[in-house]
Amino acid sequence: MKKFVWIILITSLAVIKGLFAQEAPSKEYKANYEQVMKRTEWWRNSRFGMFIHFGAYAVPARGEWVKSRERLTTEQYQKYIDDFNPIDFDAKAWAKTAKAAGMKYAVLTAKHHDGFCLFDSKLTDYKLSTRFGGRDLVREFLDAFRGEGLKVGLYYSIIDWHHPEYPNVGNHPQRDHKEYSKRIFNWDNYLKYMHGQVEELVKNYGKIDIMWFDYSFDQYSGEKWKAKELVDMVRKYQPEIILDNRLATHEGSSSKQRMVKILGDFETPEQGIPDVPLVDKYGNPVPWETCLTLNGGWGYTEQDHNWKSPELIIHSLVNCVSKNGNLLLNVGPDARGNIPEESIGILTEVGKWMDKSGESIYGCGSSNLTKPDWGRFTQKGNTVYAHWLYPNLGQLNAKGVDSGNVKNVYMLKSGAELPYQNTWWSNTETGNFFITVGSSTEKPVKYDTVVKIVLKN
Ligand code: GLC
C-alpha cells in the first residue's frame, strides 16, 4: 500500500515538473531570433504598409484567382493579357496616396500566380514590358515609392499557373484536365526559372526591403522550393532584406513552428487579426503582419462594393499594434492603373486620423494593461496610448495604471491636460484610474480618440 502511495506521489511530481519545464532555446535559435528582431526593427516600428495587387487579372475584374477559379486555359486567359494596357499607371500618384495614408512601406505584386510579370524579366516573354513602351512597372514602382521615403517590397508568387514546367497541382487552373495531366513536368527546370526570376529582382533593382513570397501548400513547401538555397541567394544580394514565412507555409504557423520553420522573418495572418500577440514556443514575441483587403478582393473586383469603413480599418490597425503586429492594407488598382476611388476615399480618412494620431501607432506595441471595454491600449516605452474606440459616458478607466507613477495625462490631438482620479462614484476599489474625457455623443476625434498617459517609469 505504502509503495503504491509513493509511486503515485513520484509520478505526480514528475508530471508537474514536466508541465513547468521549459525547453531552453538552442544557441543557434537564439542567434537567429536576435537577427530577426534586429532586421525587422524598422518594419516593426513602421506598423502600417500598403499591399498592391496589380496585374492582367484587373481586366476580367473578378479577382486574381479568376484563372484558377474558372479553370481557364492559357489560351483563354490570353485575351486578358492582350487587353491589359494600364495607360493611367502612375507610380508616383500611388506613392503619394500611400504616404498620405500614413503608410511607411509598400509591397507590389511583381508576379502573381498567373505568372504574368510586371517586371522586365529576361527569363520570359510573358511580361508587360514586351509592349507598353518596354516599361518596367516594378522599377517605376520602386523609384516612386523610394522617392516618397517609403520602404519597398515585392510580392513574388512561387506558384506559377502559366509556366509549362509547373505541374497542375493544388489550385492550378488545369488541375482536372486529363490531357494536361499527361504532360511531363520538369520540376528542376521550374525551380531554375523561379530562382532565376527572384535573382533578377534582388540583383537588378537596388535595395529591396521586403520580399513577400506566396505560397506553400501540401508537400510544396520549404525544401521542395529549395528554400534554403533561395534564401541564401536573396540574402547574398540583400543582406538586410526581410522575408515573410510563406516559403514554408500559407498563412500562420503554430507557435511551435514560428521562427523555426524556415527562414522567414515574420508571420502573415490573412484577413484576420490574432486574438493575442503572437509568440514562439518559448514565449518570445514574434513579428507578424495581418494582410487585409478593403473590399473582398486582392485584385480589382468590379462588382464588389462591400467596402470596409475607415473606422473598421483604423480600429483594425490599432488592434494589430496593440498585439505587436503590423497591418498591410491592400489596394487593387483597375485595368487602367487607377486605385479605386472608394479605396482612395477610405485611405484619405485613415490618413487624416494618422496625421493627428500616428504617434500612438509608429514604434508602439502591446501594453501590459488589460484591454478595457471602451477600446484598446498601445504603448511605447513609458507612454501608454488609450484608444477610445467605443461609446462611453465620460470616464475612461485605464485600470492598472498606478497614479503614483503618472507624470501626466493628455488629449493627444490638442496636448490638453486631462483630469484623473483613482475613485469615481461607487467605484472605490483599488486599481482603478479614471480619466475624465467629458461625455459626448461623438468622440472628440472621429473613429478613435487617443489619450496619452505618460508614466514616470
Ligand atoms: C493568398 C492568395 C493571393 C493573395 C495573398 C495575399 O495567398 O493566393 O491571391 O495574393 O493571399 O496574402
Side-chain angles (χ1 to χ4, degrees):
M1 184 60 190
K2 245 191 182 167
K3 197 171 156 201
F4 182 68
V5 172
W6 273 113
I7 290 172
I8 299 265
L9 201 69
I10 289 168
T11 329
S12 331
L13 278 176
V15 169
I16 290 167
K17 196 174 159 228
L19 281 180
F20 286 99
Q22 263 281 28
E23 187 199 329
S26 67
K27 249 195 183 156
E28 194 192 347
Y29 183 90
K30 269 194 181 152
N32 182 53
Y33 181 80
E34 272 161 30
Q35 266 181 13
V36 168
M37 295 314 269
K38 202 168 147 226
R39 267 201 296 265
T40 56
E41 197 179 349
W42 69 262
W43 180 87
R44 284 182 286 114
N45 287 334
S46 301
R47 291 298 183 220
F48 191 29
M50 177 182 267
F51 214 173
I52 308 173
H53 277 70
F54 187 49
Y57 38 78
V59 178
R62 299 189 291 278
E64 75 291 351
W65 272 67
V66 62
K67 190 179 183 197
S68 163
R69 224 178 277 127
E70 299 179 15
R71 290 169 162 71
L72 305 177
T73 62
T74 290
E75 293 69 36
Q76 288 167 324
Y77 196 71
Q78 187 58 35
K79 64 170 183 259
Y80 302 131
I81 301 290
D82 294 339
D83 282 353
F84 183 46
N85 187 31
I87 43 171
D88 294 343
F89 177 83
D90 177 359
K92 285 189 186 148
W94 290 5
K96 287 204 163 62
T97 301
K99 184 153 192 192
M103 291 155 159
K104 296 284 191 195
Y105 61 98
V107 179
L108 170 73
T109 48
K111 180 194 91 168
H112 206 272
H113 307 333
D114 67 356
F116 189 66
C117 300
L118 289 187
F119 67 108
D120 187 20
S121 172
K122 299 290 171 275
L123 303 176
T124 183
D125 283 336
Y126 204 55
K127 56 185 175 184
L128 188 64
S129 53
T130 52
R131 47 171 209 278
F132 204 56
R135 282 169 70 181
D136 183 328
L137 265 47
V138 166
R139 196 174 296 284
E140 291 184 31
F141 157 80
L142 294 170
D143 289 346
F145 279 71
R146 286 180 190 135
E148 286 293 336
L150 302 178
K151 299 269 190 186
V152 287
L154 296 175
Y155 168 109
Y156 180 84
S157 172
I158 50 181
I159 293 168
D160 196 310
W161 296 332
H162 175 263
H163 197 278
E165 306 285 15
Y166 186 88
N168 55 343
V169 291
N171 287 304
H172 191 283
Q174 278 68 59
R175 54 194 172 279
D176 305 323
H177 200 291
K178 286 216 177 77
E179 288 308 306
Y180 203 96
S181 304
K182 286 186 196 150
R183 293 192 186 187
I184 311 282
F185 302 100
N186 187 324
W187 183 247
D188 285 341
N189 282 351
Y190 174 67
L191 284 189
K192 228 168 121 194
Y193 172 77
M194 189 266 267
H195 282 222
Q197 283 206 318
V198 173
E199 181 166 21
E200 291 184 310
L201 290 172
V202 293
K203 191 174 163 188
N204 303 334
Y205 290 85
K207 187 160 191 253
I208 308 292
D209 303 297
I210 306 162
M211 200 69 200
W212 223 99
F213 292 113
D214 196 32
Y215 62 75
S216 294
F217 59 98
D218 305 336
Q219 84 271 31
Y220 288 81
S221 169
E223 274 320 292
K224 182 75 181 175
W225 307 110
K226 293 216 173 120
K228 172 102 179 64
E229 201 180 303
L230 185 67
V231 170
D232 286 348
M233 183 267 290
V234 169
R235 292 212 188 285
K236 185 178 92 190
Y237 293 109
Q238 306 276 350
E240 290 172 11
I241 201 166
I242 62 175
L243 309 173
D244 72 339
N245 63 343
R246 294 194 183 177
L247 279 175
T249 171
H250 179 203
E251 300 171 6
S253 332
S254 76
S255 67
K256 278 211 174 110
Q257 299 161 325
R258 283 179 206 140
M259 314 289 289
V260 272
K261 258 222 147 163
I262 4 188
L263 323 159
D265 295 299
F266 63 93
E267 293 285 312
T268 55
E270 187 171 314
Q271 305 284 39
I273 298 168
D275 292 337
V276 288
L278 296 184
V279 293
D280 67 6
K281 63 173 169 174
Y282 307 109
N284 304 309
V286 164
W288 63 268
E289 169 189 77
T290 278
C291 48
L292 190 69
T293 51
L294 278 174
N295 57 358
W298 299 101
Y300 182 76
T301 39
E302 180 68 36
Q303 318 237 344
D304 180 348
H305 308 296
N306 195 11
W307 298 96
K308 295 180 178 74
S309 67
E311 177 166 73
L312 182 56
I313 298 301
I314 290 165
H315 286 204
S316 302
L317 175 61
V318 172
N319 188 348
C320 289
V321 177
S322 76
K323 296 167 187 164
N324 298 323
N326 285 20
L327 180 66
L328 186 64
L329 189 60
N330 184 71
V331 295
D334 65 21
R336 296 170 62 108
N338 295 305
I339 298 179
E341 260 173 46
E342 293 87 343
S343 306
I344 302 267
I346 303 165
L347 294 179
T348 306
E349 283 293 286
V350 173
K352 279 192 222 155
W353 181 83
M354 284 296 278
D355 218 25
K356 284 201 196 84
S357 320
E359 179 188 324
S360 64
I361 297 292
Y362 305 126
C364 294
S366 69
S367 157
N368 286 334
L369 301 171
T370 313
K371 183 194 168 313
D373 6 332
W374 43 263
R376 294 183 184 277
F377 293 113
T378 58
Q379 185 159 355
K380 176 166 41 190
N382 285 347
T383 307
V384 175
Y385 296 95
H387 296 261
W388 170 14
L389 305 177
Y390 308 114
N392 180 271
L393 296 176
Q395 301 282 337
L396 303 179
N397 185 4
K399 226 182 167 117
V401 169
D402 166 11
S403 51
N405 189 30
V406 171
K407 248 196 201 151
N408 215 344
V409 178
Y410 307 94
M411 185 61 98
L412 180 61
K413 70 153 183 159
S414 61
E417 180 183 69
L418 294 173
Y420 56 86
Q421 61 201 82
N422 286 116
T423 55
W424 177 72
W425 212 225
S426 58
N427 293 288
T428 48
E429 67 273 15
T430 55
N432 291 321
F433 186 81
F434 294 100
I435 305 167
T436 305
V437 287
S439 87
S440 61
T441 36
E442 279 285 333
K443 291 183 287 285
V445 177
K446 220 169 158 188
Y447 312 126
D448 171 11
T449 301
V450 184
V451 170
K452 184 171 169 181
I453 308 168
V454 184
L455 304 173
K456 288 182 189 149
N457 49 59

